[in-house]
């Protein structure tokens, strides 16, 4: 589904990503963990080119994303993204957030978009909040609306960029549950996260990044239970609570 | 002891002469205030459209658009508005007289020759100032909004129209209302162009009477005519500011 080869990204002299290779299969859930500043968020943002890679290639569902001839907007409709800060549109209701792109990008008529939108809100357990504005929702509810907004485009891949990092601890669970259900339904997912429990339970594969490279990767048991690299061991011993 | 009433009577005769005030009615409303409003509404509408285009050009990814917009905005803002109005209002009609007969009359008929020189030059001034307010509003919308919109497959333009600008305009309503009040006063600069009877705004109308009577009363009347509009506008600005600070929608 996703093939990444020799992906590098520099901000000026600062090399954030150094020649990363990664494949993600259809229906696979890949969790990317690592210390802050390891480049994992930048890596994820390169996949839908919110960050422009300095070099390398990314293929999503057979489309070369870094090609200048690629219709980036079309590719992005097949990749949903969920942000740390939710980034809901504050001037729209929950339903308005969920229907905006289906109407304006996919050209669905309003009734069809709203039907699909309500279905997606139902899926994240917020059908009853359809007419609320983001400011009237809790952080956890906002993030679930953001997930519904991405799902309404019927993407083939979902990218999660530290989706629970900005939430109060008691609100993390409800968002993780939605992500769990999504993984269970067979969605292909790339998840940058600090939630080791989630990675252990849900991931098919865990990727540990540090210093702009993939240090090691494997099954959750292998990486979280029996890491081989010193840097992985050091990171996990620091995060263990 | 006798001096105080005499001074007061003198002040009344010079500044608040009832006979002259009555003479100015109803023209001060039907001609002067009406034209000031027409100039303001025209320049504000044109200014907001042109200002939006300039603001978008100012933050464009194309360097030549950015340079053009920044140069235009800084030039107009760096010049006295009066000079801009004089250059355009006097200069263009003379320069193009041979081409079109009358530069301002040509596309708009008699309306054009009466109002356009003032309106056009005032619009440019308004656009330059509003462009900066609009740009500040666009930049006040968090970066994540554009990223979220783009990640959903919206083009840059669509994201701007559907996501960024609706939020930006909410932010800039108070400064734009302030701009409107400033523009209302700046219409007085058009007086230097010497528009004929029927097209006079408040200041020119008042000066005509002041010159004829040799009294200050018409100018005071003109001042009152401005205040009738600007004081409620400024109250509105501070109300909008307070509401914006409370952070309600």
């Amino acid at each position: 589904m996703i093939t990444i080869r020799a992906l590098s990204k520099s901000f000026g002299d600062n090399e954030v990503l150094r020649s990363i290779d990664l494949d993600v299969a259809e229906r696979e859930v890949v969790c990317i963990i690592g210390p802050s500043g390891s480049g994992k968020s930048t890596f994820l943002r390169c996949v839908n080119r919110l960050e422009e890679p300095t070099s390398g290639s990314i293929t999503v569902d057979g489309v070369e994303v870094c090609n200048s001839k690629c219709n980036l907007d079309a590719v992005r409709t097949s990749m949903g993204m969920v942000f740390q800060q939710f980034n809901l549109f504050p001037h729209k209701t929950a339903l308005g957030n969920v229907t905006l792109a289906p109407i304006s990008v996919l050209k669905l008529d309003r009734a069809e978009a709203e039907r699909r939108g309500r279905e997606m809100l139902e899926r994240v357990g917020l059908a009853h909040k359809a007419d609320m504005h983001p400011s009237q929702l809790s952080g956890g509810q906002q993030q679930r609306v953001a997930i519904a907004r991405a799902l309404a485009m019927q993407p083939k891949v979902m990218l999660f960029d530290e989706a629970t990092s900005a939430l109060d601890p008691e609100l993390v669970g409800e968002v993780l549950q939605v992500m769990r259900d999504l993984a269970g339904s067979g969605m292909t997912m790339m998840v940058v996260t600090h939630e080791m429990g989630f990675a252990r339970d849900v991931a098919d594969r865990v990727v540990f990044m540090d210093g702009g490279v993939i240090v090691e990767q494997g099954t959750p048991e292998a990486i979280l239970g029996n890491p081989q690299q010193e840097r992985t061991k050091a990171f996990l011993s620091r995060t263990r609570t | 002891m006798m001096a105080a009433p005499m001074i007061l009577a003198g002040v009344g005769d010079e500044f608040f002469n009832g006979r002259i005030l009555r003479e100015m009615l109803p023209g001060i409303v039907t001609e002067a205030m009406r034209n000031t409003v027409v100039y303001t509404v025209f320049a504000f509408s044109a200014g907001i459209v042109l200002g939006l285009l300039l603001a978008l050009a100012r933050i464009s990814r194309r360097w030549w658009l950015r340079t053009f917009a920044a140069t235009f905005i800084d030039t107009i803002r760096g010049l006295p508005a009066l000079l801009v109005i004089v250059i355009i209002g006097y200069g263009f009609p003379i320069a193009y007289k041979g081409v079109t007969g009358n530069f301002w009359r040509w596309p708009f008929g008699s309306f054009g020759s009466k109002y356009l020189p003032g309106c056009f030059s005032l619009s440019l001034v308004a656009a330059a100032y509003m462009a900066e307010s609009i740009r500040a509003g666009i930049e006040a919308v968090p970066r994540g909004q554009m990223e979220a919109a783009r990640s959903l497959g919206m083009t840059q333009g669509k994201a701007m129209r559907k996501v960024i600008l609706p939020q930006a305009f909410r932010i800039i309503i108070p400064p734009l209302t302030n701009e409107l009040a400033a523009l209302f006063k700046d219409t007085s600069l058009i007086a230097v162009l010497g528009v004929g009877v029927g097209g006079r705004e408040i200041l020119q109308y008042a000066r005509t009477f002041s010159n004829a009577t040799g009294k200050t009363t018409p100018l005071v009347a003109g001042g009152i005519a401005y205040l009738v509009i600007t004081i409620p506008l400024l109250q509105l600005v501070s109300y909008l500011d307070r509401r914006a600070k409370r952070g309600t929608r």
Side-chain angles (χ1 to χ4, degrees):
Chain A
M1 178 63 82
I2 305 176
T3 308
I4 297 157
R5 290 288 173 271
L7 181 68
S8 296
K9 170 71 183 175
S10 306
F11 293 106
D13 291 339
N14 185 14
E15 258 194 304
V16 183
L17 300 175
R18 303 160 196 242
S19 191
I20 290 187
D21 298 317
L22 187 74
D23 294 280
V24 180
E26 199 168 345
R27 304 173 77 84
E28 192 179 18
V29 177
V30 174
C31 281
I32 301 163
I33 61 170
S36 54
S38 60
K40 53 193 193 307
S41 273
T42 307
F43 175 47
L44 195 73
R45 290 161 57 82
C46 279
V47 174
N48 68 353
R49 267 179 69 191
L50 280 185
E51 293 298 348
E52 202 62 47
T54 310
S55 64
S57 80
I58 301 167
T59 312
V60 178
D61 201 27
V63 180
E64 172 55 67
V65 178
C66 297
N67 192 323
S68 59
K69 276 175 286 190
C70 149
N71 183 349
L72 189 55
D73 296 315
V75 178
R76 279 176 174 154
T77 62
S78 67
M79 280 189 281
M81 187 159 200
V82 177
F83 300 87
Q84 184 176 352
Q85 299 296 338
F86 328 138
N87 297 346
L88 286 184
F89 307 135
H91 59 302
K92 302 259 178 202
T93 62
L95 187 63
N97 269 273
V98 176
T99 55
L100 179 62
I103 292 172
S104 70
V105 178
L106 301 182
K107 307 293 178 199
L108 295 189
D109 64 54
R110 178 167 293 277
E112 169 63 11
E114 289 192 351
R115 194 193 57 71
R116 189 193 280 186
R118 287 184 196 280
E119 190 181 305
M120 293 305 150
L121 287 174
E122 179 80 56
R123 194 164 166 187
V124 299
L126 291 172
H128 60 295
K129 302 282 189 190
D131 299 324
M132 299 267 186
H133 278 84
S135 59
Q136 298 166 293
L137 301 174
S138 74
Q141 290 169 337
Q142 287 187 52
Q143 191 61 297
R144 283 149 67 197
V145 171
I147 294 172
R149 176 176 69 178
L151 290 177
M153 297 297 281
Q154 300 185 325
K156 296 187 176 116
V157 180
M158 285 285 284
L159 310 174
F160 290 87
D161 186 9
E162 304 199 20
T164 58
S165 297
L167 293 174
D168 291 338
E170 76 271 20
L171 301 176
V172 169
E174 62 188 73
V175 173
L176 289 182
Q177 188 55 48
V178 168
M179 292 167 65
R180 244 175 252 265
D181 295 344
L182 195 56
S185 74
M187 177 63 77
T188 308
M189 294 164 63
M190 285 181 76
V191 183
V192 169
T193 188
H194 292 290
E195 297 290 332
M196 295 305 152
F198 178 83
R200 182 176 292 114
D201 297 348
V202 179
D204 296 305
R205 185 151 43 113
V206 173
V207 172
F208 174 70
M209 279 182 71
D210 191 16
V213 297
I214 293 178
V215 176
E216 70 178 303
Q217 55 178 308
T219 62
E221 299 76 42
I223 302 301
L224 302 174
N226 185 23
Q228 301 301 305
Q229 301 289 328
E230 284 308 318
R231 279 194 279 179
T232 319
K233 288 179 192 169
F235 171 71
L236 289 173
S237 69
R238 268 181 282 134
T239 55
R240 207 146 274 159
T241 47
Chain B
M1 281 303 123
M2 292 299 287
M6 278 179 63
I7 290 171
L8 278 180
V11 165
D13 185 55
E14 177 66 22
F15 292 94
F16 301 101
N17 189 307
R19 184 182 51 77
I20 298 174
L21 283 177
R22 275 192 298 280
E23 259 174 52
M24 292 177 76
L25 286 171
I28 192 161
V29 177
T30 55
E31 180 181 346
M33 285 182 76
R34 171 180 160 273
N35 285 331
T36 293
V37 169
V38 167
Y39 288 136
T40 308
V41 169
F42 185 102
F44 190 75
S45 314
I48 213 165
V49 173
L50 191 56
L52 176 61
L53 294 177
L54 281 170
L56 291 174
R58 183 86 174 70
I59 58 174
S60 163
R61 276 174 299 186
R62 287 181 255 282
W63 66 269
W64 51 272
L65 263 179
R66 278 202 310 276
T67 311
F68 167 79
T71 309
F72 179 87
I73 292 167
D74 288 351
T75 304
I76 298 284
R77 294 198 332 146
L79 289 172
L82 185 56
L83 184 62
V84 176
I85 287 166
V86 168
I87 288 175
I88 291 173
Y90 276 145
F92 275 51
I94 293 169
Y96 289 99
K97 201 148 197 149
V99 183
T100 61
N102 182 327
F103 181 71
W104 301 108
R105 182 179 281 277
W106 164 58
F108 295 102
S110 63
F111 173 84
S113 56
K114 202 186 284 179
Y115 294 114
L116 270 191
C119 285
F120 182 69
S121 44
L122 206 56
S123 301
L124 289 186
V125 174
Y129 283 92
M130 284 198 252
E132 286 299 273
S133 298
I134 295 171
R135 179 177 68 94
I138 291 172
E139 286 175 349
V141 176
R143 224 168 66 106
Q145 292 290 313
M146 179 55 91
E147 291 187 346
R150 296 307 303 273
S151 80
L152 290 164
M154 294 183 169
T155 59
Q156 176 89 16
K158 193 168 281 177
M160 193 49 93
R161 280 200 312 279
K162 305 260 178 186
V163 175
I164 306 299
L165 289 181
Q167 296 181 60
F169 268 94
R170 203 159 291 174
I171 295 169
I172 59 185
I173 284 173
L176 280 193
T177 313
N178 207 20
E179 213 64 67
L180 180 62
L183 197 55
F184 188 83
K185 292 179 289 175
D186 282 349
T187 53
S188 61
L189 298 171
I190 294 178
V192 297
L193 296 179
V195 183
V197 172
R200 293 172 297 185
E201 44 62 62
I202 295 172
L203 181 61
Q204 202 191 341
Y205 184 85
R207 275 216 332 232
T208 311
F209 275 84
S210 173
N211 290 342
T213 59
K215 298 278 188 200
T216 316
T217 298
L219 299 179
V220 173
I224 292 167
Y226 280 108
L227 292 176
V228 165
I229 306 278
T230 51
I231 285 180
L233 260 184
L234 292 172
Q235 296 277 326
L236 180 64
V237 171
S238 60
Y239 164 75
L240 290 171
D241 266 336
R242 277 199 310 276
R243 205 182 61 162
K245 284 212 181 68
R246 277 209 315 270
T248 52
R249 272 178 289 108

